[in-house]
Amino acid sequence: LYLIIYFIYSDTFSTISSVGILYARSQLCLGPGSLFVVAVLVPLFALLGNMLWLKLSVAYNLSNRFMVVLILAVSALIPAWGLLSFTGIGLGFQKQWEVYLLSVSFGLCLGGLQSYSRTLYANFVPPGSESEFFALYEVTDKGSSWLGPMIVAALNQGSSDGLRFAFVYLLVGTLVPTIVLFFFVDETKGRAEAEAYAEGESSKKMIVSDMDDDDDDRHHHKYGGIQMLDTSTI
């Protein structure tokens, strides 16, 4: 269940980045200099956000699952702000300063979400099977990169306000994982099931190993006895 949710919000976050740049260029006509500032702000505040979320987690002893839920809930404010453009109040990424606000808020959420998502997933990985499960994690991450751009492209071609309607998709892509993670994902239960799975696999390996040892012993006694018989006959 967690990988399905991760597939959704990982795609959403990568789409927020691409939609933000596209929206800034096509709707607000930002030049290369302004886009360069945006490109600098995102990783800078991602680093800062990573440290701030960690301090919050340690200070209040918050679980990894709760941190992912909290960061997703905060990040939902980004597309929600974009939907203000439908209200006609002059907000909703209608001005250049709002693009910088998007960059800062997106960066603050991005750093923490990447860290805590990986940490949360690590709790669901059976000990000894890290390589297989994290390979699946990476496939899930990269495999979702096509969905958001395809939907945004379809919306953009179907309507002159297609990029603004993309904020609806982004809002759903953050709120649905938030709700599902909060109500249906149990970190403690997932960790226990991972450990039980690892113990079961270990028991199977021990049984197979014992069977192999028994086969080796029977093989040794059989052919060792024949060798002794042949030696005594000679």
Side-chain angles (χ1 to χ4, degrees):
L1 178 61
Y2 175 71
L3 280 180
I4 297 174
I5 296 304
Y6 178 72
F7 179 92
I8 296 173
Y9 74 74
S10 175
D11 167 71
T12 301
F13 259 70
S14 62
T15 307
I16 288 176
S17 177
S18 58
V19 167
I21 296 297
L22 184 61
Y23 193 91
R25 292 180 61 183
S26 62
Q27 303 295 322
L28 301 179
C29 301
L30 262 65
S34 298
L35 293 176
F36 176 77
V37 173
V38 170
V40 172
L41 286 175
V42 171
L44 180 64
F45 278 88
L47 177 62
L48 178 62
N50 202 9
M51 294 185 291
L52 291 177
W53 292 115
L54 177 61
K55 287 184 178 294
L56 178 65
S57 174
V58 173
Y60 293 96
N61 194 27
L62 302 175
S63 67
N64 296 315
R65 183 188 67 88
F66 185 84
M67 291 303 300
V68 174
V69 169
L70 178 61
I71 296 172
L72 282 174
V74 173
S75 65
L77 297 176
I78 298 174
W81 184 274
L83 291 176
L84 291 177
S85 60
F86 289 103
T87 63
I89 61 176
L91 295 175
F93 303 117
Q94 302 296 302
K95 299 179 177 62
Q96 184 170 336
W97 65 267
E98 292 179 282
V99 177
Y100 299 135
L101 176 64
L102 165 66
S103 304
V104 171
S105 55
F106 177 70
L108 287 173
C109 293
L110 179 64
L113 187 65
Q114 288 180 337
S115 299
Y116 281 103
S117 294
R118 189 175 292 271
T119 305
L120 176 60
Y121 181 73
N123 289 330
F124 301 146
V125 175
S129 302
E130 289 81 2
S131 59
E132 298 92 334
F133 278 81
F134 272 102
L136 180 61
Y137 180 86
E138 291 300 325
V139 169
T140 305
D141 182 18
K142 306 304 179 185
S144 65
S145 59
W146 57 273
L147 181 61
M150 182 185 69
I151 294 176
V152 172
L155 291 173
N156 196 29
Q157 291 180 357
S159 171
S160 58
D161 292 328
L163 283 178
R164 289 199 294 173
F165 281 111
F167 289 117
V168 177
Y169 165 73
L170 297 176
L171 182 61
V172 172
T174 50
L175 286 181
V176 170
T178 302
I179 294 171
V180 174
L181 275 174
F182 186 78
F183 289 104
F184 300 105
V185 175
D186 190 330
E187 184 177 358
T188 304
K189 181 180 178 181
R191 186 186 301 114
E193 290 179 350
E195 292 175 354
Y197 175 85
E199 291 177 359
E201 290 297 308
S202 178
S203 299
K204 290 179 182 178
K205 290 179 180 179
M206 290 180 63
I207 293 173
V208 172
S209 177
D210 290 341
M211 291 176 64
D212 290 340
D213 291 341
D214 291 341
D215 290 340
D216 291 341
D217 290 341
R218 285 195 294 269
H219 181 83
H220 175 73
H221 289 316
K222 177 180 178 181
Y223 290 98
I226 293 175
Q227 184 178 9
M228 291 176 61
L229 177 61
D230 291 343
T231 303
S232 61
T233 303
I234 293 172

